[in-house]
Amino acid sequence: KGCFMLHCYLSSTLEAELVDESSVKKMILTFEKRSYKNQELRINILFDFIPTNKTICGFKFMESELDLNDIIQEMHVIATMPDLYHLLVELNAVHSLLGLLTVVDLLQELTDIDTLHESEDGAEVLIDALLEGQVVALLVQNMERLDEQVKEEADGIYNTLAIIENMAEFRPGMCTEAAQQGLMQWLLKRIKAKMPFDANKLYCSEILAILLQNNDNTRELLGEMDGIDVLLQQLSVFKRHNPSTAEEQEMMENLFDALCSCLMLPSNRDRFLRGEGLQLMNLMLREKKMSRTSALKVLDHGMIGPEGTDNCHKFVDILGLRTIFPLFMKTPKKMRKTGVSEREHEEHVCSIIASMLRNLKSQQRSRLLSKFTENDCEKVDRLMELHFKYLEAVQQADKRIEGEKHEMVRRGEILDDSMEDEFYLRRLDAGLFVLQLICYIMVEISNSGISQLQQRVHQILNLRGGSVKVVRHIMREYAESIGDGKSDEFKEAERKRIMDLADNF
């Protein structure tokens, strides 16, 4: 046994020593020769350039296929040495690799994200060459030819998607280009294909969500391709039925994430409205299936900001107030089971109500405000309960942060802007953002002209030792942080509006 282990160790050591720059060069040149010969024989057979001796020519072609496959298998060792990737580019092997459909496995290994991070320089050179050779367009063309009924070809699609994911993680900037090279169109087609759920459909949903992250170009492209309708159609399955497996649930969440990303773009809000997205989300909330957690998040994204005005009005028209307020009054236990925290749920509900108070006009606004007067102002009581809950959480976080600041000053460390930003983010995570939304709702309903609401808010504040000054301070902080990515004119007008509400509170 000892001799056998020694033999294995010596063999692996010898192999590692043999694979150096010189042997990699030799390997690549052999690949180039065999690739050229294979291509030549393929052309001869396809176009009948050698009408005689077809049997011999066919035999030679099969032989060249095997030889080419052997050298491709040998080349997998290069995937363990990213610092030598530059040789693939310098010896023009990337072009030959892209011309072959049999190298998907090798490309997947070469672009393995852990390997790419081992040698950033080598990885950069390879990724540049692949993108220059329009690798995504070629991979998409290849996938279009594959038949997923055949296991090996279905595996080929999975491995192709892995190449794209690896490249997108290493070079996020390539997502726009990839989407435009036919990938977006192929993904949407594959997602809506009437095929049983499998690993490839799950992977497609994941890649789609990646393409749409923080990228307005891909969001616009998806909208133009009627992608919002595709997403809504696929999600409608989960209106009355829960996903049957954990993998199917993951796909559902990916599609919801993709939809939320798309709704960050104003033009897609209109497509969502026309596609009856609000009606679907409202039904999901009422059906009380797993999808309702994400449906709530989608509604939040669709109604926020001035671009969400039409969606807010439509939501009231389809009797959405009857759906949202029971969720405001009580966090469903089932929702906690889906992995969503109580705070996430309360944040989305409060954000939706705050968006409606900001955007609704005339009759729809009156219908919203009248909800707060129902059953002896029970919704105001709930609002104030949430106010004190989150105020306490933020005050505790503030104490911890003040202690840390004091300790930093004692050690002679400087509290710069980046440190202050970090502390502010921590306060938001501790519940400050939800508290800001709650205070915004408080000042909005208090300024509505309905004295019953104003009196109830102040009555509970006084009873529980609350403070108008604290609410105003929270609103000032909220006003200062408003309008990320908005025009200066909008920011200024919105700040003034919020400050006026706070001053009149």
Side-chain angles (χ1 to χ4, degrees), residues 332-359:
K333 285 178 185 173
K334 275 187 184 175
M335 208 163 249
R336 295 172 200 166
K337 285 178 189 172
T338 58
V340 172
S341 68
E342 195 170 62
R343 198 186 80 213
E344 278 178 87
H345 169 80
E346 287 163 1
E347 180 184 315
H348 289 309
V349 174
C350 289
S351 181
I352 288 166
I353 293 170
S355 292
M356 287 194 288
L357 282 166
R358 187 206 179 284
N359 290 327

Side-chain angles (χ1 to χ4, degrees), residues 136-373:
V136 178
L138 291 167
L139 290 171
V140 170
Q141 284 169 24
N142 186 23
M143 288 195 292
E144 280 172 348
R145 283 194 283 265
L146 296 176
D147 178 7
E148 289 191 68
Q149 303 300 317
V150 181
K151 188 188 180 300
E152 289 75 15
E153 296 191 21
D155 290 345
I157 285 180
Y158 189 90
N159 293 338
T160 302
L161 294 171
I163 293 167
I164 293 165
E165 184 189 16
N166 290 337
M167 290 174 68
E169 190 175 335
F170 187 77
R171 181 83 62 81
M174 56 101 40
C175 286
T176 301
E177 206 178 322
Q180 290 166 347
Q181 284 179 20
L183 181 60
M184 179 74 79
Q185 195 170 11
W186 186 88
L187 288 170
L188 289 172
K189 191 170 113 184
R190 177 60 181 84
I191 283 168
K192 71 177 180 180
K194 287 187 168 68
M195 292 166 71
F197 173 77
D198 62 359
N200 282 354
K201 187 166 184 178
L202 170 59
Y203 215 164
C204 286
S205 69
E206 196 177 322
I207 299 293
L208 187 65
I210 289 168
L211 288 183
L212 296 165
Q213 259 177 0
N214 308 316
N215 192 322
D216 278 351
N217 294 319
T218 56
R219 290 165 181 166
E220 182 62 48
L221 187 64
L222 181 132
E224 288 167 359
M225 289 178 172
D226 296 326
I228 300 288
D229 283 346
V230 173
L231 290 172
L232 291 173
Q233 283 161 15
Q234 292 304 305
L235 287 168
S236 65
V237 177
F238 305 108
K239 179 176 64 184
R240 292 195 173 92
H241 304 285
N242 281 331
S244 50
T245 62
E247 289 75 19
E248 198 175 8
Q249 186 184 346
E250 192 183 335
M251 183 201 69
M252 179 185 79
E253 297 301 341
N254 287 337
L255 295 178
F256 270 119
D257 286 345
L259 186 55
C260 286
S261 283
C262 289
L263 292 176
M264 301 292 279
L265 195 72
S267 57
N268 282 336
R269 307 264 184 106
D270 190 44
R271 293 175 177 124
F272 175 74
L273 178 66
R274 291 200 311 268
E276 299 192 346
L278 286 163
Q279 286 90 327
L280 177 61
M281 297 306 127
N282 194 34
L283 283 169
M284 283 177 167
L285 291 179
R286 288 183 182 180
E287 287 293 340
K288 302 178 182 178
K289 299 293 179 190
M290 272 185 186
S291 56
R292 106 169 134 169
T293 305
S294 296
L296 194 64
K297 189 166 69 170
V298 169
L299 280 177
D300 188 3
H301 278 76
M303 294 160 78
I304 206 163
E307 302 89 353
T309 299
D310 290 344
N311 281 321
C312 286
H313 282 93
K314 185 67 179 177
F315 188 67
V316 175
D317 291 345
I318 62 169
L319 309 178
L321 296 179
R322 293 182 188 177
T323 314
I324 202 71
F325 274 104
L327 294 171
F328 172 70
M329 292 301 290
K330 190 179 180 186
T331 302
K333 285 178 185 173
K334 275 187 184 175
M335 208 163 249
R336 295 172 200 166
K337 285 178 189 172
T338 58
V340 172
S341 68
E342 195 170 62
R343 198 186 80 213
E344 278 178 87
H345 169 80
E346 287 163 1
E347 180 184 315
H348 289 309
V349 174
C350 289
S351 181
I352 288 166
I353 293 170
S355 292
M356 287 194 288
L357 282 166
R358 187 206 179 284
N359 290 327
L360 292 177
K361 302 283 185 290
S362 63
Q363 188 195 352
Q364 280 101 333
R365 182 176 172 82
S366 299
R367 284 165 69 181
L368 173 64
L369 289 167
S370 71
K371 280 280 170 188
F372 283 96
T373 63

Side-chain angles (χ1 to χ4, degrees), residues 17 45 61 77 80 108 111 175 189 235 246 313 349 402 461 472:
E17 284 174 3
I45 287 172
F61 173 69
V77 76
T80 64
Q108 189 196 345
T111 58
C175 286
K189 191 170 113 184
L235 287 168
H313 282 93
V349 174
E402 283 307 312
L461 263 185
R472 282 182 181 158

